[in-house]
């Protein structure tokens, strides 16, 4: 146990001691350089060593840097030594690149180099040599050779992060050590710019700033950003050079995929001025994009091609558990018009609306629907009430008439002194008239006949309104 702890402590001390101290790094402009003449590593291990320092093998792309580095390998060492730098032609023979993939344009080569000696020299090093044609100049060497190395890193230790957002906007924070030597960074020193490249950018003002854990941390809200834009965080003015240690960039930006419905709405009800549509809610396994979906927007397209938003509903309004049944009534439509209808799903956050889903075509009706539509809902209720009332009144009238008829039938059947008229007898004969005493003033028993005078003191006369065969009863006692 004790031995294990001792080994652990020794390992920690060794790893700490392997980190070069600050005074071993030399600053030129916005970069720091470390000249390591003790490690003796092959090219890949040398780069790994630099990465452990948060650095890379040095990029030497100006006379100023070349001269600066030469001072640290002077006077020329004996025996001759060469220091790995971040330049190689391992991908395409003869086409040397820096480690960030950019092409090597600066010419730092020694005389007659690079020569790809033995067709096996693909990694570049910088000589410390008594030969003036070599000292401070480059040579291509075999990448497996164990040499010294020069690391390089930026003065500023950027931490540029972006929280995921919907396309079109981004939320970025950039943190840099607030103390830089004898300089303390102010809020305006840490900046963010957005654009396709360093030559075409828009500066974004910070929305909030704080100092936490020794870092100046600025937050930025970018309202308008394209999918192929880069976000640059930089200290001071944005450097336009190909490589700069005073800026970092973020690309591509990690946007959410907007939600899309794979199936279109169906029409449930059609009127002259409104249409009821329904659709299945967005779910991850069947539809496209990312949730959570918070609402839906319903669109109308008239035959002139223009899409108009017809309204929207929240996603928790529909019926169902996993996949809800959503329903929406589109109002204010023109009678007899043809429309295309489409629905889009909207995820949370600004700019979360996905593309319009498949569309359905519908033609509004012209007839009754337009009347009801014009009358309005409240008037429709009154009309239904009136129709219902009229129906009830009609029913009462029918009942009353039926009752009266039944009463008359009973009266007819109870009339005294009546007998069936002789076949073929003329019912207009006076002796068959029923006197008033038998029935009331309005009654008569000559069915199919209508009495022209109602008084019993006068001779009654009858007009045939049907035919005489229907006469069933006559008075035989008069
Ligand atoms: Ca080569
Ligand atoms: Ca060579």
């Amino acid at each position: 146990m004790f031995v294990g702890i001792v080994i652990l402590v020794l390992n920690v001390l060794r790893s700490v001691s392997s980190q070069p101290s600050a005074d071993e790094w030399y600053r030129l402009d916005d970069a720091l350089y470390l000249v390591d003449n003790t490690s003796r590593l092959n090219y890949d291990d040398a780069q790994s060593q630099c990465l452990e320092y948060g650095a890379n093998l040095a990029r030497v792309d100006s006379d100023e840097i070349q001269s600066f580095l030469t001072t640290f390998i002077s006077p020329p060492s004996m025996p001759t030594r060469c220091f790995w730098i971040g330049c190689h032609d391992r991908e395409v023979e003869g086409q040397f690149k820096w480690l960030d993939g950019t092409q090597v344009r600066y010419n730092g080569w020694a005389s007659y180099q690079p020569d790809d000696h033995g067709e096996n020299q693909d990694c570049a090093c910088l000589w410390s040599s008594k030969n003036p044609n070599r000292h401070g100049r480059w040579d291509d060497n075999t990448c497996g050779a164990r040499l010294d190395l020069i690391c390089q890193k930026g003065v500023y230790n950027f931490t540029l992060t972006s929280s995921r957002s919907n396309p079109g906007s981004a939320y970025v924070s950039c943190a840099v050590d607030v103390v830089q030597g004898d300089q303390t960074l102010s809020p305006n020193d840490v900046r963010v710019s957005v654009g396709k490249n360093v030559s075409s950018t828009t500066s974004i003002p910070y929305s909030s700033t704080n100092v936490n854990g020794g870092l100046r941390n600025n937050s930025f809200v970018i309202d308008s950003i394209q999918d192929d834009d880069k976000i640059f965080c930089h200290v001071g003015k944005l450097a336009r050079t190909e490589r700069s240690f005073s800026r970092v960039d973020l690309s591509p930006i990690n946007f959410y995929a907007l939600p899309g419905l794979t199936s279109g709405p169906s029409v449930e009800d059609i009127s002259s001025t409104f249409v009821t549509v329904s659709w299945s809610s967005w779910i991850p396994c069947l539809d496209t994009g990312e949730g959570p979906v918070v609402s839906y927007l319903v669109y109308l397209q008239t035959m002139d091609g223009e899409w108009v938003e017809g309204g929207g509903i929240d996603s928790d309004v529909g019926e169902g558990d996993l996949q809800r049944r959503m329903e929406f009534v589109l109002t204010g439509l023109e009678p007899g018009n043809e429309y295309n209808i489409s629905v889009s799903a909207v995820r949370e956050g600004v700019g979360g609306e996905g593309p319009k889903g498949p569309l359905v075509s519908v033609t509004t009706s012209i007839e009754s629907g337009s009347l009801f539509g014009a009358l309005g809902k409240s008037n429709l209720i009154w009309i239904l009430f009136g129709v219902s009332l009229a129906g009830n009144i009609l029913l009462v009238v029918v009942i009353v008439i039926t009752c009266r008829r039944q009463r008359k039938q009973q009266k007819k059947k109870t009339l005294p002194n009546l007998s069936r008229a002789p076949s073929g007898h003329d019912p207009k004969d006076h002796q068959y008239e029923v006197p008033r005493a038998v029935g009331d003033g309005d009654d008569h028993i000559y069915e199919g006949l209508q009495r022209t005078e109602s008084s019993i003191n006068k001779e009654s006369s009858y007009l045939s309104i049907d035919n005489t065969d229907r006469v069933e009863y006559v008075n035989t006692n008069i």
Side-chain angles (χ1 to χ4, degrees):
M1 178 73 177
F2 177 74
V3 173
I5 292 174
V6 170
I7 292 172
L8 180 65
V9 169
L10 287 174
N11 282 337
V12 170
L13 290 173
R14 188 176 301 158
S15 67
V16 169
S17 64
S18 69
Q19 296 282 336
S21 62
D23 56 3
E24 293 179 79
W25 291 88
Y26 301 101
R27 179 172 179 172
L28 176 66
D29 296 332
D30 53 7
L32 296 170
Y33 297 86
L34 173 76
V35 178
D36 183 342
N37 58 8
T38 60
S39 295
R40 295 295 179 106
L41 300 170
N42 66 39
Y43 192 81
D44 290 331
D45 290 344
Q47 169 63 4
S48 297
Q49 182 71 66
C50 289
L51 286 174
E52 283 189 25
Y53 302 150
N56 287 286
L57 286 172
R59 174 185 173 121
V60 188
D61 53 4
S62 71
D63 288 342
E64 188 182 13
I65 298 173
Q66 183 99 349
S67 300
F68 178 73
L69 293 179
T70 304
T71 62
F72 299 106
I73 56 170
S74 297
S77 57
M78 280 297 291
T80 295
R81 306 171 80 109
C82 207
F83 296 78
W84 290 127
I85 59 173
C87 169
H88 67 90
D89 71 337
R90 296 169 113 178
E91 295 173 8
V92 180
E93 175 57 39
Q95 294 185 14
F96 284 88
K97 289 182 174 180
W98 299 114
L99 288 174
D100 62 9
T102 55
Q103 192 177 348
V104 173
R105 296 190 180 85
Y106 178 77
N107 183 3
W109 297 106
S111 302
Y112 309 111
Q113 301 297 335
D115 60 354
D116 197 38
H117 184 72
E119 298 182 353
N120 190 30
Q121 293 189 326
D122 296 335
C123 297
C125 59
L126 188 146
W127 282 114
S128 175
S129 169
K130 287 192 175 299
N131 181 344
N133 291 326
R134 281 189 163 189
H135 188 61
R137 309 298 293 177
W138 312 345
D139 186 7
D140 56 342
N141 209 326
T142 54
C143 299
R146 297 170 69 89
L147 303 179
D148 300 316
L149 51 133
I150 302 175
C151 298
Q152 176 192 46
K153 66 179 181 180
V155 168
Y156 306 108
N157 185 24
F158 292 96
T159 304
L160 175 60
T161 57
S162 169
S163 57
R164 289 191 78 192
S165 58
N166 295 326
S169 59
Y171 306 94
V172 174
S173 68
C174 188
V176 185
D177 293 328
V178 66
V179 176
Q180 301 289 338
D182 55 357
Q183 178 192 9
T184 300
L185 296 183
S186 71
N188 287 323
D189 287 332
V190 179
R191 305 179 189 178
V192 155
S193 299
V194 177
K196 300 280 184 274
N197 53 60
V198 288
S199 304
S200 171
T201 58
T202 302
S203 182
I204 308 295
Y206 65 85
S207 57
S208 67
T209 181
N210 63 67
V211 175
N212 191 9
L215 299 173
R216 166 63 65 188
N217 193 347
N218 284 5
S219 297
F220 302 83
V221 177
I222 306 170
D223 291 329
S224 179
I225 187 168
Q226 306 291 318
D227 286 1
D228 57 347
D229 276 346
K230 284 183 177 179
I231 299 173
F232 299 95
C233 180
H234 48 103
V235 173
K237 189 179 178 183
L238 177 64
R240 309 287 189 192
T241 55
E242 189 177 59
R243 182 77 170 95
S244 170
F245 290 102
S246 61
R247 68 162 193 257
V248 290
D249 64 72
L250 190 65
S251 175
I253 301 143
N254 192 8
F255 292 124
Y256 286 110
L258 294 175
L261 295 169
T262 53
S263 58
S266 58
V267 178
E268 302 294 331
D269 191 18
I270 303 174
S271 160
S272 59
T273 57
F274 62 85
V275 171
T276 304
V277 292
S278 72
W279 64 94
S280 298
S281 67
W282 181 94
I283 56 174
C285 51
L286 292 180
D287 296 300
T288 60
E290 295 175 87
V293 168
V294 294
S295 63
Y296 298 89
L297 293 176
V298 184
Y299 286 90
L300 275 175
Q301 185 187 37
T302 54
M303 286 305 101
D304 60 12
E306 184 185 2
W307 282 101
V308 178
E309 186 184 320
I313 56 171
D314 291 340
S315 62
D316 57 358
V317 174
E319 297 176 356
D321 295 326
L322 177 62
Q323 192 167 33
R324 293 169 180 265
R325 193 74 187 157
M326 312 301 298
E327 193 171 282
F328 187 81
V329 181
L330 279 161
T331 58
L333 310 185
E334 294 292 328
N337 262 19
E338 188 175 350
Y339 296 94
N340 289 327
I341 300 172
S342 177
V343 179
S344 66
V346 183
R347 77 177 309 281
E348 66 179 2
V350 177
E353 183 184 356
K356 295 183 185 68
L359 54 84
V360 62
S361 296
V362 64
T363 302
T364 51
S365 60
I366 304 173
E367 308 82 12
S368 57
S370 60
L371 174 64
F372 289 122
L375 289 173
K377 194 174 178 182
S378 60
N379 289 337
L380 188 61
I381 291 172
W382 279 109
I383 289 171
L384 291 175
F385 175 75
V387 169
S388 172
L389 185 64
N392 287 332
I393 292 172
L394 186 63
L395 183 63
V396 169
V397 169
V398 168
I399 291 172
V400 168
I401 290 173
T402 303
C403 288
R404 290 186 66 175
R405 278 190 177 173
Q406 284 180 343
R407 205 162 58 232
K408 283 180 183 177
Q409 291 286 341
Q410 284 176 346
K411 280 182 181 177
K412 274 185 194 173
K413 288 175 182 175
T414 55
L415 285 173
N417 304 320
L418 294 179
S419 64
R420 185 169 293 277
S423 177
H425 197 278
D426 182 6
K428 297 190 184 71
D429 190 319
H430 181 69
Q431 65 176 313
Y432 298 112
E433 185 184 2
V434 177
R436 182 182 179 84
V438 174
D440 60 32
D442 294 324
D443 286 340
H444 57 86
I445 58 172
Y446 296 98
E447 290 190 6
L449 298 183
Q450 184 176 18
R451 186 157 55 179
T452 57
E453 292 181 59
S454 62
S455 171
I456 62 169
N457 297 322
K458 295 179 181 178
E459 183 176 301
S460 295
S461 61
Y462 297 86
L463 295 173
S464 173
I465 59 172
D466 199 341
N467 69 62
T468 56
D469 291 341
R470 291 188 58 197
V471 175
E472 292 181 344
Y473 295 99
V474 295
N475 189 328
T476 57
N477 292 335
I478 297 176

